[in-house]
Amino acid sequence: MRPLSEDETKIFFEKLSTYIGRNIKHLIDRPDEEYCFRLHKERVYYLSQALARRAAHAERAKLVHMGTCFGKFTKSLKFRLHVTCLDYLAQFAKYKVWVKPSSELSYLYGNNVLKAGLGRITENTPQYQGVVVYSMADVPLGFGVTARSTQDCRKVPATDVVVFHQSDVGEYLREEDTNFTGVAATGESAADNELIRTKTKKKKVQQQAPGGGGTKGAGAKGAN
């Protein structure tokens, strides 16, 4: 665990400002206690200074999580926000989108928001602007990027995409095996789990295929 470098801070804040603009300052200058961002295993965590000092005493290999995970740096040094920071984005978001009840489930399955599912949108929202997506009951569902400006949304057909999906709370179930740390409850990494699933699938296909290993073995045993 360590503080972010100057370049990492710039990349992270640029991504974060897409959704909350200059309200980033409210995450740092808090009236209750001092908070900070820390990097651990390519993930950025938001936590109090007191918790950061306690976490610093833990072994790096055994430290799994601390505070709130805001997202992860890729190998190409790009930053991807995670749904785990949604509460903070919703609190300080400049632009918002509300989806109709009939489109909530579609969005929670990772789909884009279509004009037909658009309930409301903040006035004067520009195109390609980061927005927080809400239900009509003002419950934060996720976040995305606008495909159209507020003015254009009034003109486009019902089947056109108005918000590109970035993340949603359905990921808590869809990505439950990695728990947003890259490590499953069994101890394997997400990549290991994917490899296991691929090998298992290939094995089943081979067994089900005509003349596959399982069928051939059974025939040979019967002949004996």
Side-chain angles (χ1 to χ4, degrees):
M1 181 190 74
R2 63 171 176 80
L4 278 69
S5 68
E6 185 176 341
D7 289 340
E8 290 166 344
T9 301
K10 181 180 178 182
I11 294 169
F12 171 54
F13 278 6
E14 283 179 353
K15 173 64 80 171
L16 197 55
S17 65
T18 303
Y19 295 90
I20 65 176
R22 295 183 178 180
N23 287 331
I24 292 176
K25 64 183 180 182
H26 296 304
L27 294 174
I28 306 299
D29 301 327
R30 293 178 49 148
D32 48 356
E33 59 179 311
E34 293 183 355
Y35 270 68
C36 61
F37 291 100
R38 290 292 183 267
L39 185 71
H40 179 62
K41 296 182 179 179
E42 309 306 322
R43 285 172 168 78
V44 175
Y45 294 90
Y46 179 61
L47 66 165
S48 66
Q49 290 279 12
L51 180 58
R53 286 192 290 270
R54 290 196 292 270
H57 295 289
E59 293 183 32
R60 185 180 186 280
K62 295 182 179 180
L63 185 61
V64 177
H65 188 91
M66 54 189 171
T68 301
C69 180
F70 262 60
K72 178 183 179 181
F73 280 102
T74 65
K75 292 181 179 179
S76 58
L77 208 60
K78 293 181 180 180
F79 190 80
R80 180 180 182 273
L81 287 170
H82 283 181
V83 71
T84 42
C85 71
L86 178 60
D87 287 346
Y88 291 103
L89 296 187
Q91 185 178 354
F92 300 112
K94 294 177 61 180
Y95 299 97
K96 304 176 182 181
V97 164
W98 290 262
V99 296
K100 296 177 181 178
S102 58
S103 296
E104 284 184 21
L105 189 59
S106 175
Y107 180 75
L108 294 177
Y109 272 105
N111 297 311
N112 298 325
V113 178
L114 304 181
K115 167 65 182 300
L118 181 64
R120 284 191 293 150
I121 183 171
T122 303
E123 283 296 326
N124 301 318
T125 302
Q127 188 179 25
Y128 305 129
Q129 169 65 48
V131 292
V132 173
V133 179
Y134 294 81
S135 69
M136 295 303 291
D138 286 329
V139 177
L141 301 177
F143 51 89
V145 176
T146 54
R148 307 280 185 173
S149 65
T150 300
Q151 290 73 19
D152 290 341
C153 284
R154 299 189 178 103
K155 307 172 186 176
V156 298
T159 55
D160 275 22
V161 174
V162 292
V163 177
F164 295 119
H165 174 277
Q166 294 289 305
S167 191
D168 67 84
V169 293
E171 292 174 16
Y172 283 109
L173 294 178
R174 298 199 305 273
E175 300 184 13
E176 185 180 13
D177 58 338
T178 61
N179 199 28
F180 301 97
T181 62
V183 179
T186 56
E188 293 89 357
S189 68
D192 290 337
N193 283 337
E194 183 62 31
L195 183 60
I196 292 171
R197 284 193 290 267
T198 302
K199 288 183 176 179
T200 303
K201 186 176 180 180
K202 286 182 178 179
K203 187 176 181 181
K204 287 182 178 179
V205 171
Q206 290 173 352
Q207 290 176 345
Q208 294 172 358
T215 306
K216 185 177 180 180
K221 185 175 180 179
N224 291 333

